Amino acid sequence: MITTDELQINIGPQHPSTHGVFRMLLTVDGETVVHLEPVFGYLHRNHEQLAEVNTYLQNMPYTDRLDYFNSMANNHAYALAVEKLAGIEVPERAEYIRVLMVELTRILNHAGALGFMINDMGAWQTPLAFGIREREKILDLFELVSGARMMCNYFRFGGVVRDIPDEFIPRMKKLMIAMPAYMDELERLLRENEILLARSEGIGILPREVAVSYGVTGPVLRGSGIAYDIRKAEPYSIYDRFDFDVPVGSVGDVYDRFLVRIEEMRQSRRILEQIIEQLPDASGGHINPKARQNVRPPVGDAYARVESPKGELGFYLVSDGGTKPYRYKVRAPSFINLTPLGDMCRGYKVADIVVILGSIDIVMGEVDR
Amino acid sequence: MDLVVQIMFGVTGLLILGAAFMVVSVRNIIHAALWLITCFFGIAMLYLLLQAEFLAIVQILLYIGAVAVLVLFAVMLTRQIDDPDEPVLFQRWRSTLLITAILFAAVLVPTIYNHNWLIFADPQPAFAGPRELGFAFMNAYLLPFQIAAVLLLAALVGAIIIAMEDQEQRRVRVLTLAEEVALRGEREPSPPTRPANPQPASSSSNPTPPPAPEQAGEGA
Amino acid sequence: MISAVPLEWVLILASGLFCVGLFGALSRRHAVSMLMGIELMLNAVNINLVAFWRYTQPDEVGGMIFALFVIVVAAAEAAVGLAMAIAIYRTWQTVNVDSVDSLRG
Amino acid sequence: MYDVVDFLLNTQLGLNSPDWVVMLISHLVVVGMLFAVAPLQVLFLTYYERRAIARMQDRVGPNRVGYEGLLQPVADGVKMFTKEDIVPDSADKIVHLLAPIVAAAPVLYMFAVLPWGPNMIAVDLPTGLLFFFAISSISTVGLLMAGWASNNKFALLGAMRAVAQVVSYEIPALLSLLFAVMFAGSMSLMAIVEAQGGLFISTTDVPSVPDLGLGWFVFTPVGFLAFVCFFIAALAEGERTPFDIPEADSEIVAGYMTEYSGMKFAMFYLAQYILNFLLCAITATIFFGGWQGPGVAWLVSQSLSADNPAGNPVYNVLAGMLGTFYLLAKTYMFFFVMVALRGAFPRLRIDQLMNFGWKFLIPLTMINILSAALWIAITRWGTAQGFGIIEFAGEPGNLVRWVIAFAVTLVINVAAYWFLARLNVQDHAARQAALTAGGLAVSPPRSA
């Protein structure tokens, strides 16, 4: 009603809700965002260049640090790329274990992402504690198999570094019995809370055409109504053996991204159930014994992509026949998903941008690399 | 006891006049507004000395809580706080000062001293609490009370109309992405109601054509 | 109070406040500053009203009522005045009343 | 308090002190109690809030300093005192220094009119309720000063939000409290509490009801609706979740407090917690009978006073203690509600907050004033005011009138709530439909 001066505000690089060192250069008119420019690169640590002076196996722990929430998924994509480049077979049991780990990762990532996002909306840590609680249980399982909770470094070319221990499957079954109740609880929290609805419905709409033109992937794209999932579109590993659905939203707002994430957790649980049924016994081995870890792939290039919890994660490798990759490139979903942020936030209020940012679910380790 | 009251009156008066003087003389307009609040506070103290409790509270509630905050707000909105090159006062401020000084010293003070005020020799203790005021408002002063209400309403409407811009001049609202896309007509309207659940696209049906796989997507 | 402080003292205080307010209203260039000067003058009037009520007619509420009406008018005046200051600022990008002397709307 | 001091000094010790000495001593005792209680309250409130929220989040909370962490607030206080006081280089130093004082001082004044027990009040102002809110509006100035003087955009935005929110929620808060003034016929908080004796039915409406100190205003439809409205407005005034928008940590860091550290920050913190405590206390006082409760009235009747010179001063003390206990119990209950809300809910957006206040709360409180007037007319007025029709003879007459008033106001309030809620839901639904339809009525794109 009253024309006010436009004001420029820096949100970040040090700010409670930028999920890392990230800056949003904001032009506001009153409380309305006129322009938003995402500025990143503060966390750049030379990941891709570093990879070119390391051997292939030495790079495996580095991929953990990309998206530190989902080290298993990163490992998977990188292992797939190297296996494609060097032509390494993976035993049946190893494939199952890999998919099992990756789907567990998806559940823990979505639980954490939802918790953090509601935290950004201003809830004082209780929803975050909800998310973290479930994540902790899954991290316990990861600790059981790999010895580490976050930086698992569990995958190897041609399999996984060691077989799952005996008590793993019973503990996982116990966890999975509790899971539906947890997911229902989370969904009720989202669907029935008036304030959460008011803060998420109609906020940060990303129309489907725009989403496609930006190359957005993952739950953000599916929230905009496009059923694109690499596990379906270009099944890798053994995903063609499982029966699961791809949830999509209709409007493309924050609320749809909520619901898509919750439904994806349910579908992941469905996959986990099928894995437990079909898991081959240990006789097949957890790693291809012929696969050399000090791999020396033939000259050529390979691109492998997986559906990481945040979207399409791809590794592009060029080999010159040596022990180190000649070129190493990461297609990081957080980075690509972050590019439409400026457009998505325009016209909304200052309070909404942190929610929109939270709903994109970025990890700055992956954005800046 | 008299001396105490006189000292209190003196301190209050000095506070009022000093703050008022700062209001008209400081350069920074925010500081002027803060001095104005101090002045209002002093006046509330004076009302307490004059045993007008209710008025003192209303003074604080309305002048400090509403008018002064409104002034501060308006100053912050206009944001032209400090322009060191521009003088604070008009060119002719000296003549203005002279006029007001003459008004004070030659007109008001002699008048006040020369007039014979009809003061009761032995006035009873005053009490005009909310109950007495309420009766007065509802009986003797009912019409002025209602006129004041109408005045407030008119001021409210007037302020809104003045501060509101003309429809043509109004700055166009910042469009959100969805509105822009809808405006460009690139998107056929989606169903008006949101489905109860995100519909799982059946695994058998062919999915929407995927976006082109972006190898080395962001163009390093 | 009433025996210790004569009515004249209060009246002189009020008239001093009035003169300071008048000076502010006449000589400041900033529109909001002028408004503050006017508020000071209105307050001076209020002090007068309350003083007369207290010293001459403490058994009636008329003085208080008038003071309350003045407060109401002052509030209305502040709202409209500030709206005008904002309107001026929007049109001319300044609140200096010297440079706002054209009669074009 | 006056009676007890008078009894001790003049009757027991035989000092024959003049009246003003007794008055001064009795006031000083109350003031001293308040100054001892207020900071301790804040210390305990922070500890209580942290422990309660920790319990909601499967954590333990502070449990290291002292028994079960009870000394944690003291340790925090020491930390605050010894922290470096950082003033930004471009800040307006003096205003920056004054802002926390201006924000904190008025809040302490508000204790002056709060009744702690029968005859336990620092100053029984005839305009106590108005004083309470007038004083609290001064701290708004402190927030604006803090926001402006810090020369920080987050702080300025936070201050703007704070002022917009506090000023616009003062209206429903005051409007919803008006009913108590009408019911009790006074703005004195003591009188409002005293009007709430009885057993579910206030003795002011039906004098024959046994006085168990339970005739709280919240048991009437008018009082209940006002309570709900006031508590929501109090959440906004005290900047509590879900209305903690001015200091939204995930958006504007800490709002107007962003550039404050050390003692100045502690002052803001102190002001906020005292304000929260006082808002809870005023809720308890106006809607839940304050110090009223079973037993207080009996103790008061046994105690020493001007009307009852034969009373025992022990009963004065006992009545005071019981009343204070009731008040604090109620206050802590409301504070727990605040804490639970903070642990459960995200915050609203500033425009949603404003919409809620102006479009829902204010109309509702206005209708509530109408119901209050009807209540007064039905229960109190007689032939003199032109309400002879409902004047029933005899003692049950009052009860019948009370029942009629209850029914009428209940119908009005429920209808008002239903109507407004429906209006707002329709509004919301229309906007959502426009949103999902993609056919938004928008102004043409901005020409460069």
Side-chain angles (χ1 to χ4, degrees):
Chain A
M1 192 167 77
I2 294 168
T3 310
T4 42
D5 292 332
E6 285 184 357
L7 188 70
Q8 285 216 328
I9 301 180
N10 272 311
I11 291 197
Q14 295 295 337
H15 189 276
S17 57
T18 49
H19 297 259
V21 195
F22 173 52
R23 182 157 79 105
M24 289 179 278
L25 181 57
L26 207 63
T27 311
V28 293
D29 177 12
E31 288 259 347
T32 310
V33 179
V34 178
H35 184 76
L36 184 145
E37 190 185 336
V39 183
F40 25 72
Y42 294 95
L43 217 62
H44 184 70
R45 50 197 193 283
N46 220 356
H47 180 83
E48 289 173 4
Q49 187 67 40
L50 206 59
E52 287 162 21
V53 296
N54 282 336
T55 64
Y56 286 95
L57 185 62
Q58 276 175 331
N59 281 334
M60 185 64 87
Y62 278 101
T63 61
D64 287 343
R65 273 90 181 156
L66 274 177
D67 177 357
Y68 40 79
F69 251 67
N70 314 319
S71 59
M72 292 285 195
N74 302 345
N75 284 348
H76 195 193
Y78 180 62
L80 280 178
V82 175
E83 281 157 11
K84 208 164 163 183
L85 195 65
I88 301 173
E89 293 287 314
V90 183
E92 187 90 333
R93 184 174 168 87
E95 290 278 24
Y96 273 97
I97 295 174
R98 281 179 169 190
V99 173
L100 188 143
M101 293 302 161
V102 169
E103 292 306 319
L104 277 177
T105 301
R106 197 180 311 279
I107 292 175
L108 81 83
N109 175 73
H110 286 350
L114 292 175
F116 275 112
M117 194 180 126
I118 305 174
N119 209 40
D120 286 345
M121 282 185 182
W124 209 64
Q125 296 178 353
T126 310
L128 181 62
F130 262 58
I132 295 285
R133 185 183 67 193
E134 207 62 11
R135 179 167 170 259
E136 287 298 304
K137 289 177 189 159
I138 297 177
L139 287 184
D140 284 346
L141 291 180
F142 283 179
E143 191 179 8
L144 200 65
V145 297
S146 71
R149 290 167 71 83
M150 280 178 80
M151 306 299 158
C152 295
N153 186 18
Y154 182 56
F155 286 39
R156 290 293 180 271
F157 312 131
V160 292
V161 67
R162 63 181 75 83
D163 205 349
I164 50 176
D166 292 337
E167 69 260 43
F168 181 84
I169 293 293
R171 276 181 67 171
M172 206 185 104
K173 277 180 179 160
K174 228 170 88 185
L175 181 63
M176 280 177 51
I177 292 170
M179 235 181 245
Y182 167 74
M183 290 166 188
D184 290 345
E185 198 181 4
L186 200 56
E187 181 167 0
R188 255 203 341 275
L189 177 71
L190 299 179
R191 277 187 186 278
E192 293 176 10
N193 189 322
E194 195 73 29
I195 299 176
L196 265 171
L197 280 179
R199 286 301 301 276
S200 59
E201 269 193 312
I203 303 299
I205 298 180
L206 184 66
R208 41 196 295 171
E209 301 81 5
V210 186
V212 172
S213 64
Y214 269 113
V216 165
T217 48
V220 184
L221 179 72
R222 291 192 283 276
S224 290
I226 294 176
Y228 173 64
D229 187 324
I230 300 172
R231 293 177 293 175
K232 288 277 189 206
E234 188 190 297
Y236 54 94
S237 195
I238 48 169
Y239 272 110
D240 45 0
R241 299 182 200 179
F242 303 121
D243 185 28
F244 64 97
D245 297 323
V246 179
V248 291
S250 59
V251 180
D253 53 4
V254 172
Y255 187 62
D256 272 344
R257 280 167 228 149
F258 263 159
L259 295 181
V260 164
R261 289 214 169 88
I262 290 185
E263 190 57 34
E264 264 182 38
M265 285 161 77
R266 293 216 177 89
Q267 298 299 335
S268 284
R269 188 182 167 277
R270 242 174 100 189
I271 297 178
L272 288 176
E273 268 176 347
Q274 294 168 42
I275 291 174
I276 292 177
E277 274 170 25
Q278 302 172 10
L279 186 67
D281 57 9
S283 62
H286 62 278
I287 190 163
N288 185 351
K290 282 178 283 183
R292 287 180 56 193
Q293 290 306 313
N294 191 8
V295 65
R296 195 185 276 272
V299 179
D301 63 340
Y303 179 72
R305 51 187 187 147
V306 301
E307 181 71 25
S308 119
K310 294 186 164 60
E312 175 184 336
L313 173 67
F315 280 86
Y316 178 65
L317 295 173
V318 180
S319 166
D320 58 356
T323 55
K324 300 165 182 173
Y326 173 73
R327 177 84 178 90
Y328 168 99
K329 171 89 187 83
V330 187
R331 187 223 186 263
S334 294
F335 180 81
I336 311 261
N337 290 356
L338 196 55
T339 42
L341 180 71
D343 274 347
M344 279 158 83
C345 291
R346 187 158 24 84
Y348 292 104
K349 299 276 183 284
V350 176
D352 289 328
I353 58 174
V354 288
V355 181
I356 296 172
L357 182 67
S359 78
I360 297 177
D361 183 19
I362 55 160
V363 160
M364 288 315 288
E366 201 177 38
V367 175
D368 289 341
R369 298 196 292 285
Chain B
M1 208 61 191
D2 278 3
L3 190 67
V4 174
V5 175
Q6 280 167 357
I7 289 172
M8 280 164 76
F9 177 78
V11 170
T12 314
L14 277 182
L15 180 71
I16 293 172
L17 284 181
F21 194 73
M22 293 305 278
V23 170
V24 295
S25 60
V26 290
R27 162 172 290 278
N28 189 329
I29 182 119
I30 296 263
H31 288 180
L34 294 175
W35 279 115
L36 185 72
I37 291 172
T38 317
C39 184
F40 286 159
F41 204 81
I43 293 170
M45 281 161 64
L46 187 67
Y47 288 160
L48 281 183
L49 274 179
L50 290 167
Q51 295 176 317
E53 270 179 33
F54 184 75
L55 208 59
I57 291 171
V58 169
Q59 170 90 5
I60 286 173
L61 184 70
L62 269 177
Y63 269 112
I64 298 180
V67 173
V69 168
L70 202 66
V71 168
L72 273 175
F73 219 81
V75 174
M76 287 181 188
L77 278 179
T78 47
R79 266 165 60 83
Q80 266 214 341
I81 303 169
D82 247 339
D83 192 357
D85 303 330
E86 211 169 295
V88 188
L89 303 174
F90 284 125
Q91 300 288 320
R92 50 182 188 278
W93 70 271
R94 284 189 187 81
S95 54
T96 317
L97 185 62
L98 195 69
I99 291 170
T100 46
I102 289 172
L103 177 69
F104 180 67
V107 181
L108 290 176
V109 174
T111 316
I112 288 167
Y113 267 106
N114 293 331
H115 193 272
N116 179 26
W117 307 105
L118 292 170
I119 302 175
F120 289 138
D122 185 24
Q124 57 269 59
F127 186 74
R131 187 182 292 272
E132 289 78 8
L133 282 173
F135 275 120
F137 271 132
M138 282 298 135
N139 294 312
Y141 298 92
L142 186 58
L143 190 63
F145 184 65
Q146 295 195 338
I147 291 174
V150 173
L151 172 75
L152 271 184
L153 184 67
L156 194 71
V157 175
I160 290 172
I161 287 177
I162 292 174
M164 195 152 56
E165 295 155 74
D166 293 339
Q167 205 64 32
E168 314 89 69
Q169 282 183 351
R170 180 182 295 194
R171 188 201 303 235
V172 174
R173 189 161 66 87
V174 185
L175 293 181
T176 64
L177 190 60
E179 289 165 351
E180 237 178 62
V181 170
L183 214 69
R184 285 206 301 264
E186 290 179 1
R187 175 189 178 202
E188 68 273 26
S190 50
T193 50
R194 186 191 297 280
N197 265 309
Q199 296 133 338
S202 161
S203 52
S204 55
S205 68
N206 49 342
T208 327
E214 285 169 81
Q215 308 207 350
E218 65 264 36
Chain C
M1 172 78 204
I2 191 137
S3 51
V5 181
L7 173 62
E8 283 83 1
W9 293 18
V10 185
L11 293 186
I12 285 174
L13 172 62
S15 59
L17 186 61
F18 186 84
C19 290
V20 174
L22 184 65
F23 173 70
L26 288 181
S27 66
R28 294 282 289 205
R29 299 167 73 106
H30 197 291
V32 179
S33 287
M34 293 174 67
L35 209 68
M36 290 184 201
I38 296 171
E39 292 293 340
L40 288 181
M41 287 154 71
L42 284 168
N43 268 284
V45 171
N46 255 2
I47 294 177
N48 265 6
L49 286 171
V50 176
F52 282 129
W53 161 74
R54 181 67 191 89
Y55 283 88
T56 61
Q57 280 193 318
D59 47 346
E60 296 204 5
V61 292
M64 291 272 275
I65 298 266
F66 267 98
L68 283 171
F69 281 132
V70 170
I71 289 179
V72 168
V73 173
E77 174 257 336
V80 175
L82 288 172
M84 280 169 67
I86 286 170
I88 290 172
Y89 176 71
R90 195 174 47 234
T91 320
W92 279 279
Q93 294 300 310
T94 177
V95 276
N96 186 343
V97 282
D98 247 3
S99 41
V100 189
D101 49 6
S102 75
L103 273 177
R104 297 175 287 115
Chain D
M1 200 44 78
Y2 176 86
D3 300 318
V4 177
V5 173
D6 186 47
F7 177 79
L8 278 179
L9 284 182
N10 295 347
T11 317
Q12 294 295 100
L13 300 174
L15 286 179
N16 270 335
S17 336
D19 200 35
W20 65 271
V21 171
V22 177
M23 193 64 95
L24 188 69
I25 290 175
S26 59
H27 275 167
L28 279 181
V29 168
V30 177
V31 168
M33 277 159 67
L34 286 187
F35 272 95
V37 163
L40 283 177
Q41 286 292 348
V42 173
L43 292 186
F44 183 67
L45 285 182
T46 55
Y47 170 76
Y48 174 70
E49 174 167 33
R50 289 173 68 176
R51 284 297 288 236
I53 288 198
R55 195 45 62 91
M56 289 177 74
Q57 294 171 353
D58 274 357
R59 296 188 283 121
V60 183
N63 67 340
R64 290 287 142 192
V65 193
Y67 175 71
E68 284 290 312
L70 267 172
L71 292 180
Q72 182 71 38
V74 181
D76 286 344
V78 171
K79 183 197 76 176
M80 287 289 190
F81 268 113
T82 51
K83 235 180 176 178
E84 186 190 353
D85 178 33
I86 301 165
V87 181
D89 206 29
S90 56
D92 191 327
K93 304 278 187 309
I94 296 170
V95 181
H96 190 266
L97 170 71
L98 282 177
I101 301 169
V102 175
V107 181
L108 288 168
Y109 275 103
M110 289 156 78
F111 269 112
V113 291
L114 189 70
W116 290 81
N119 299 320
M120 279 176 68
I121 185 166
V123 196
D124 189 10
L125 276 185
T127 47
L129 192 59
L130 196 62
F131 176 84
F132 193 88
F133 282 91
I135 288 291
S136 85
S137 70
I138 296 182
S139 44
T140 321
V141 178
L143 308 190
L144 260 183
M145 282 164 75
W148 179 78
S150 303
N151 203 359
N152 175 319
K153 286 165 184 168
F154 288 129
L156 189 64
L157 233 114
M160 291 288 194
R161 286 179 172 193
V163 172
Q165 169 177 336
V166 170
V167 167
S168 56
Y169 269 74
E170 233 161 48
I171 302 169
L174 273 174
L175 284 183
S176 57
L177 291 183
L178 269 188
F179 94 96
V181 179
M182 294 161 89
F183 274 28
S186 168
M187 268 197 258
S188 150
L189 287 174
M190 204 50 152
I192 289 175
V193 174
E194 275 162 2
Q196 298 188 50
L199 182 62
F200 301 107
I201 298 171
S202 168
T203 40
T204 43
D205 293 331
V206 185
S208 61
V209 162
D211 186 3
L212 284 181
L214 288 172
W216 304 344
F217 287 159
V218 75
F219 295 135
T220 62
V222 181
F224 185 74
L225 188 65
F227 161 65
V228 174
C229 293
F230 177 75
F231 198 68
I232 292 172
L235 288 176
E237 286 236 345
E239 287 157 24
R240 296 289 306 193
T241 316
F243 304 127
D244 56 342
I245 298 166
E247 53 201 80
D249 53 333
S250 63
E251 298 152 24
I252 50 172
V253 191
Y256 52 86
M257 297 189 276
T258 306
E259 293 288 358
Y260 281 89
S261 64
M263 261 328 279
K264 292 183 192 164
F265 176 75
M267 288 284 268
F268 277 120
Y269 206 68
L270 188 85
Q272 200 185 1
Y273 272 84
I274 295 183
L275 181 65
N276 287 336
F277 174 80
L278 281 168
L279 286 170
C280 291
I282 207 84
T283 313
T285 301
I286 291 185
F287 301 98
F288 286 77
W291 47 261
Q292 292 268 22
V296 179
W298 182 78
L299 284 173
V300 170
S301 71
Q302 299 296 309
S303 65
L304 176 85
S305 68
D307 301 335
N308 184 15
N312 191 338
V314 174
Y315 285 106
N316 287 45
V317 178
L318 281 181
M321 282 169 67
L322 190 63
T324 312
F325 168 74
Y326 280 136
L327 178 75
L328 281 181
K330 291 165 189 171
T331 307
Y332 274 100
M333 195 190 80
F334 291 120
F335 193 73
F336 177 75
V337 175
M338 282 188 170
V339 169
L341 284 176
R342 183 171 184 199
F345 281 130
R347 74 175 69 85
L348 279 169
R349 219 166 48 208
I350 184 84
D351 55 325
Q352 292 166 341
L353 174 87
M354 290 293 162
N355 276 347
F356 182 70
W358 289 100
K359 291 189 190 161
F360 189 73
L361 227 43
I362 290 182
L364 204 57
T365 47
M366 286 195 168
I367 294 171
N368 197 40
I369 291 176
L370 177 78
S371 319
L374 274 176
W375 180 280
I376 296 294
I378 297 174
T379 55
R380 315 259 168 92
W381 286 7
T383 328
Q385 288 90 356
F387 259 69
I389 330 155
I390 50 163
E391 210 172 355
F392 298 97
E395 189 38 52
N398 278 327
L399 197 63
V400 173
R401 292 171 73 163
W402 187 87
V403 170
I404 295 174
F406 193 92
V408 169
T409 51
L410 185 70
V411 167
I412 292 179
N413 283 358
V414 168
Y417 173 79
W418 180 78
F419 179 69
L420 279 171
R422 205 162 142 260
L423 265 188
N424 279 277
V425 166
Q426 272 176 351
D427 190 31
H428 178 77
R431 267 186 295 122
Q432 288 302 319
L435 199 72
T436 37
L440 274 163
V442 287
S443 39
R446 173 185 195 172
S447 55

